[in-house]
Structure formats: C-alpha cells, structure tokens
Amino acid sequence: MIKKLWPHARPYGKWIAAGVACSALEAVFELLIPLVMSDIVDIGIKNADQGYILRRGGVMVAMAMVSLALGLGAAVLSSVAGQGFGANLRRAEYDHIQNFAFSNIEKFSTASLVTRLTNDVNAMQMTLMMGMRLLVRAPVMLVSALVLSVRISLRLSSVFLAALPLLIIAVALILTRVGPMFRSLQEKTDALNLVVQENLAGIRVVKSFVREEHEKEKFAARNHDLKDTSLRAFGMVVINMPVMMLIVYGTIIAVMWFGGQMVYAGTLEAGKLMTYFTYITQIMMSLMMVSMIFMMLSRSVACARRIVEVLEEQPAITDGAAETDTDESGAQVPAAVKDGSIDFDHVSFKYNPGNTEWILRDVSLHIPAGSTVGILGGTGSAKTTLVSLIPRLYEAGEGTVSVGGRPVAAYTMEHLRDAVSMVLQKNTLFSGTIRENLLWGDPDASEEELWAACRAACADEFLERMPDGLDTDLGQGGVNVSGGQKQRLCIARAILKKPRVLILDDSTSAVDTATDAKIRAAFANELKDATKLIIAQRVASVRDADMILVMDAGRIAAQGTHEELMENCEIYRDVYQSQQEGVSIGG
C-alpha cells in the first residue's frame, strides 16, 4: 500500500524531510528549556545571583523563540507537502478512473468513487500533515524526556515506567475495535452520497411523482446509519482521552508523593523535581499523542485501502492489442480507421461474465462504409448494446467486431473513438457555454463551422433567438434548454467531429417528425462518406435507410430495406401498421 501511495508524495520529499527536521529540532529545544529553568532555581535563586538569573532567562527566551520559529516552519512545510500529496493523489485517481470501462465504474459505483476522490484523499493528506509533526515530535519528546528524567532520578522513573504497560494495553484494546469501524464509516458515507447523487440527478422525476417524502425518508435512514457508525467510531476515539488522562494524572500524583518525600529528605533538589515534573508531563503527553496518531492512522489505513483499490483496478478494456501502421516517413504510428465499414462476426455479449444469459447472441452483420442503417426493436432487444460494441464502450464476449476492416481491438481507444461519434439516449451537456460544449466535437472549429453544424442539427432555430447565441450559458447539465434542444445540440456536437461512423441512439425522440426529417437530410449532405446507424422507435425515422435491422431478444430477427421487410418481416410490418394507425387516429 505504501509503495502505491509514496510516488505521489515523492515530489514533496524535500519538503517532508525539512518539515520532519523542524519538528524534531522543535522538540529538542522544548526539552532543553526545563534544564535551564532548573539551573535558575537551583543556582540563581538559591544563591540570589540576579545576573545569573537574567543570563539564563535570556537563554530560555532565545530557545523559546527558536522553538517557535521551528514550529512555524514545520507547520508551513507540512501544509505544503500535505496539500501537494493530496492534489497528486486525487489527480492520479481521477486520471486512472478516466481509463475505466463502464464495467469498472459499475463495480465501485459513482458515489463511492466520488467519496474516494474527496473524503478519503482528504483524510490521507491530513494524515501526512499531522504525521510530519506528531509522528516525529511525539517519539523524539518521549525518548529524550525519558532519558533526561532517568538521569535526574532513576528511583522516581520507576513510578511512571510502571504506568507504561497500562497505556500500551489501553491503546491496543481501543485500536482493535476502532479500525473496522472506520472502514464501515467510509462505506456508510458512500451510501449517503449515492442517495444525494440520485436525488439531485433525478430531481425532476422525484417532483413529478411527488416522492419528496420518500426521498427524505431514504436520506434520513442513510444519514442515521452514518451518524450511528460515526458515534461508535469516534466514541472509541473519545474514550481514549479520559483513559490516557486518568493514567497520566495518576502517575503525576505518584511522582509528587515520592518526589516530595525525596526533597524533604534532601536526596533531590527542588529545581530538579520541577524539571522532572515537566519531563513526566511531556512523556505522558507524548504517549497520548502517540495514541492519537494510531487512531488517526487507523482511519487513514481504511481510506488508503479504498484509494489503492481504485488505483490497482485494471481497466477492463485496454490498448494492449493495438496495431501500428507505417506513415510516409517510415515511422510507426497507431493504426487509423480508414473507412466506416462495420462487421460483426458471430458476436455475443453479456454485461456480467458470471451471467448465464447472453444479451447479444451470435450476431453476424456487414455494413458497407457510407451507408445508412436503421435499427428497430422493442425495449430490451439489445439495440444500444449492439452499437456500444463499435466504439468499444463494452468488449464483445465472443466473436469479433471490426471497423474499417480491422478488429476494434487493433486500434487505440483514442483513434477508434475519435473516428466514431455517438449521440447517446441520455443527452449530456456540461456546465459552460453552448460554444464550449460544441467544441468537444472539434476544438479547432471556426465560427462558420459551428453554425453549419447547428444548422444541420436544426439547432440554429432556437440559437438565433438567444441573446448570447453560442455564448449562452447552459447551466449545470444543460438545464437552460429543453429536451429537444439538448438533443439537437448533442447532434451538432457529433457532426462537428466529422466521424467515419455516426451512431444516433434514439437521439431524435424529443423532436417533431419534420425536424427529424430535416436532420436526416442534413446527414446525407454533411456526412456523405460516414456510416450512419440510427436507432429509432419511429419507422419514419429509418424508412429511407439503405438497410434496416430488426432486433428481437438479442438477435437480428430480420434485415433489409423497408419494402423487403414489409414483405418478409411480421414484426416490422406490425410496428409500421400500428404507427400508421396511430397517425390516422391522431389526425
């Protein structure tokens, strides 16, 4: 685990070393101050030597100022190192998540990944910041004060040495209980974040079904679980303090009793006893700090394991089988998609390898480059699953999917997905302006190209009515535009990409039939050479396609032109006739 996390702290190695040195030196100076104070009492005050008292007092002030400066330096250095480590760790985790396939993300859940990127990383950076100070300061104070106190009086030292086993046993008992609780605490945080995420993402559904009370109850239950787990975990931490204080003050009382008798008997000087009290207090406080460090480390270990789980998760889809081509200069470059031809060769797929039921079963299909293919089928017929295999959003379980005459695994995901533009069922726009969202398709697109894509997607109709046009702010997730407008903006973004393959997954369901027809006509002009796959519920959307696929239960039940399917496919004929009857009734 340390090997996995240390590389993210290594850039701040010098800061960590300097901070550790400052903490250690700060502890040393604090330990030397009581010795000077002892000399003032036993020599200066005893001999009424005012000059000696002032000189030694000046030394104490100077040592205190140096200790203060070292403490400030340690605080600054630990903050820089801790924040830098946290930033590096978050970035590494986030970058790694970007390589995940959908199956990897589903394994953790989005809410859990958010918690691991935020709460867990915050706990780790706090551990480094506190550890740089306490993990150094406490042991140095403990060992040094122990040595100095033994030098003052071996007899008195036996008193607090007897208390050490009690402290160790108390800390060990608490740690064995608190470790698993912190792991459970992070899992409860995941569960709470999941409820919040689902509620906010689906707030319109919640309100339309008047389920606010249900959501409140669900949140309250998860919140209550988190509170109870927190109380149990931090309750154990809180118990640590009074137990430590009981042992510490009991030890101090014993030292006062035996030390007072020694001073009375003349075997120990009063100044030495005062210094001894200081060291005893520092020793006990150091032990308390050590126990608190262990508590903090227990939580950090739970968080670290969750972070390492993400960092060690191997992406289900990689570029390991990617091939290269030779360019004009003779250099080897990643293979590029030459055209939009698509082939499915006995392809089968299931989302979970452990499932017995296949989602797609033995699909074989050839789609020529530049053709337009319509895909129809009932809910659950695997239409989306079929097209998701083309850009390798999922990996085929059996058989081979090829694009441009090569298996999709022969391309790097960057080159493959750059050649395939996909407008998903769930239209996603990001916070920012319309222009910023459209530039996802082509970061170098000119103003003219942006408006051309918008005209092709019939988005210019509403953009021209907006005061800021392309610079209109969309808000979070595109809340400032309607569902149909959002669909058209997503289509415009896909057109700007100028792909070899364009996939529309029921992406015109929120627009009227006239606009749908305009968009399809624009595809024929703007993307003549691109292969176009259109998943639709309306036969009118795919009627003029070069080929129409009818999906049923994960298989291609029939394929052909509209006329051929009307003659040979009962499923297609039933769908067409039912929609025609619906139009007649609506008219």
Side-chain angles (χ1 to χ4, degrees):
M1 189 162 58
I2 294 175
K3 289 182 179 179
K4 201 74 177 179
L5 297 176
W6 172 244
H8 309 296
R10 187 181 293 120
Y12 296 90
K14 293 180 180 179
W15 295 79
I16 293 172
V20 167
C22 285
S23 294
L25 289 172
E26 179 192 10
V28 170
F29 274 95
E30 284 190 21
L31 288 166
L32 293 176
I33 290 175
L35 292 176
V36 179
M37 182 181 66
S38 175
D39 290 342
I40 291 174
V41 173
D42 293 337
I43 299 174
I45 295 177
K46 182 178 180 180
N47 299 326
D49 188 342
Q50 187 176 4
Y52 183 85
I53 293 173
L54 291 173
R55 288 193 301 274
R56 300 302 286 174
V59 172
M60 281 185 64
V61 171
M63 293 173 70
M65 295 300 292
V66 171
S67 180
L68 176 62
L70 290 168
L72 289 172
V76 171
L77 292 166
S78 63
S79 295
V80 172
Q83 294 295 334
F85 168 66
N88 288 348
L89 192 57
R90 268 191 299 271
R91 180 169 183 174
E93 199 174 353
Y94 187 80
D95 288 349
H96 191 60
I97 290 171
Q98 297 306 302
N99 296 322
F100 280 0
F102 290 162
S103 57
N104 296 112
I105 294 174
E106 289 159 3
K107 174 182 176 180
F108 290 100
S109 88
T110 305
S112 179
L113 289 173
V114 170
T115 305
R116 293 170 198 243
L117 275 165
T118 52
N119 291 16
D120 291 358
V121 173
N122 289 342
M124 292 301 299
Q125 71 181 29
M126 184 59 67
T127 298
L128 179 60
M129 292 168 61
M130 299 297 291
M132 282 177 62
R133 304 206 65 193
L134 298 182
L135 280 175
V136 176
R137 179 183 174 84
V140 170
M141 291 281 285
L142 178 63
V143 174
S144 302
L146 188 61
V147 171
L148 292 170
S149 61
V150 169
R151 286 185 61 189
I152 293 173
S153 175
L154 181 60
R155 181 181 171 188
L156 273 180
S157 299
S158 61
V159 175
F160 72 81
L161 287 174
L164 283 177
L166 294 176
L167 283 169
I168 294 171
I169 291 171
V171 171
L173 288 174
I174 293 171
L175 284 177
T176 54
R177 296 288 304 278
V178 80
M181 289 183 181
F182 280 129
R183 176 78 182 191
S184 177
L185 178 64
Q186 298 307 110
E187 292 172 353
K188 298 295 183 183
T189 304
D190 288 348
L192 183 68
N193 284 346
L194 178 61
V195 171
V196 174
Q197 181 189 23
E198 287 181 340
N199 180 270
L200 295 178
I203 191 66
R204 296 182 181 182
V205 177
V206 172
K207 290 186 177 298
S208 64
F209 280 87
V210 197
R211 297 290 284 175
E212 290 92 343
E213 290 303 318
H214 170 76
E215 287 296 303
K216 288 178 185 177
E217 291 172 5
K218 190 163 66 171
F219 177 85
R222 301 283 177 91
N223 195 32
H224 189 268
D225 284 347
L226 178 60
K227 182 197 73 173
D228 287 347
T229 306
S230 299
L231 286 174
R232 288 195 297 270
F234 290 107
M236 294 299 296
V237 175
V238 171
I239 288 172
N240 176 67
M241 185 60 70
V243 171
M244 297 297 106
M245 295 301 290
L246 178 64
I247 297 172
V248 167
Y249 286 119
T251 303
I252 290 175
I253 291 171
V255 169
M256 290 177 67
W257 173 262
F258 290 109
Q261 290 182 336
M262 292 173 69
V263 171
Y264 182 77
T267 57
L268 185 67
E269 295 175 324
K272 292 289 191 295
L273 182 59
M274 289 175 58
T275 303
Y276 195 87
F277 278 138
T278 302
Y279 288 144
I280 286 295
T281 304
Q282 288 175 335
I283 289 170
M284 295 303 174
M285 291 302 173
S286 297
L287 287 171
M288 290 173 62
M289 280 194 289
V290 169
S291 69
M292 292 306 296
I293 289 168
F294 279 120
M295 297 294 169
M296 183 175 63
L297 287 175
S298 295
R299 184 177 186 184
S300 297
V301 167
C303 294
R305 284 176 178 159
R306 285 160 51 85
I307 292 170
V308 170
E309 281 178 4
V310 175
L311 294 175
E312 290 184 341
E313 175 73 10
Q314 295 301 312
I317 301 175
T318 67
D319 292 334
E323 300 174 357
T324 58
D325 288 332
T326 304
D327 65 9
E328 295 177 357
S329 64
Q332 294 296 305
V333 295
V337 179
K338 291 182 172 57
D339 60 54
S341 62
I342 301 170
D343 291 280
F344 284 76
D345 184 14
H346 298 286
V347 171
S348 297
F349 172 81
K350 51 186 173 182
Y351 287 103
N352 189 335
N355 292 346
T356 56
E357 195 72 22
W358 292 93
I359 305 301
L360 279 176
R361 290 175 287 181
D362 195 29
V363 174
S364 292
L365 174 69
H366 172 68
I367 300 174
S371 58
T372 299
V373 178
I375 304 176
L376 293 173
T379 302
S381 59
K383 303 184 297 295
T384 299
T385 303
L386 178 76
V387 297
S388 295
L389 298 179
I390 297 170
R392 287 187 82 194
L393 298 181
Y394 291 101
E395 196 84 278
E398 293 180 359
T400 305
V401 180
S402 300
V403 176
R406 282 179 166 169
V408 289
Y411 305 103
T412 63
M413 281 180 281
E414 179 183 357
H415 284 76
L416 174 64
R417 291 172 184 172
D418 196 45
V420 179
S421 199
M422 190 168 184
V423 184
L424 300 168
Q425 266 180 320
K426 184 178 179 182
N427 299 285
T428 302
L429 294 171
F430 297 88
S431 56
T433 64
I434 291 174
R435 182 189 303 277
E436 289 168 346
N437 274 270
L438 292 177
L439 289 175
W440 277 54
D442 181 4
D444 301 319
S446 64
E447 187 82 4
E448 184 180 343
E449 288 174 322
L450 290 172
W451 279 107
C454 290
R455 283 192 293 273
C458 295
D460 60 318
E461 298 173 2
F462 63 88
L463 286 175
E464 290 173 350
R465 296 195 300 270
M466 293 181 171
D468 296 323
L470 295 176
D471 295 311
T472 301
D473 188 77
L474 286 170
Q476 183 179 350
V479 295
N480 297 333
V481 291
S482 68
Q485 291 171 339
K486 190 183 293 187
Q487 280 190 340
R488 283 178 276 177
L489 287 173
C490 290
I491 292 170
R493 183 173 61 188
I495 291 172
L496 274 168
K497 200 174 178 183
K498 298 179 179 64
R500 301 284 189 186
V501 178
L502 174 65
I503 300 171
L504 300 178
D505 186 358
D506 203 15
S507 304
T508 56
S509 57
V511 301
D512 58 83
T513 52
T515 303
D516 184 12
K518 289 179 183 178
I519 292 172
R520 285 185 282 111
F523 289 157
N525 297 322
E526 298 290 332
L527 299 171
K528 293 179 181 179
D529 298 326
T531 303
K532 296 164 280 290
L533 283 75
I534 303 171
I535 296 176
Q537 300 298 330
R538 296 186 296 228
V539 172
S541 298
V542 298
R543 177 172 180 168
D544 297 327
D546 300 313
M547 182 196 311
I548 300 172
L549 306 178
V550 179
M551 300 289 297
D552 184 41
R555 296 179 182 273
I556 297 178
Q559 66 183 73
T561 62
H562 171 73
E563 291 74 17
E564 291 170 345
L565 292 174
M566 284 295 292
E567 184 177 345
N568 302 318
C569 180
E570 184 178 351
I571 298 175
Y572 184 84
R573 190 164 52 246
D574 290 344
V575 171
Y576 177 75
Q577 290 173 351
S578 65
Q579 291 183 4
Q580 290 300 109
E581 289 172 4
V583 171
S584 300
I585 294 171

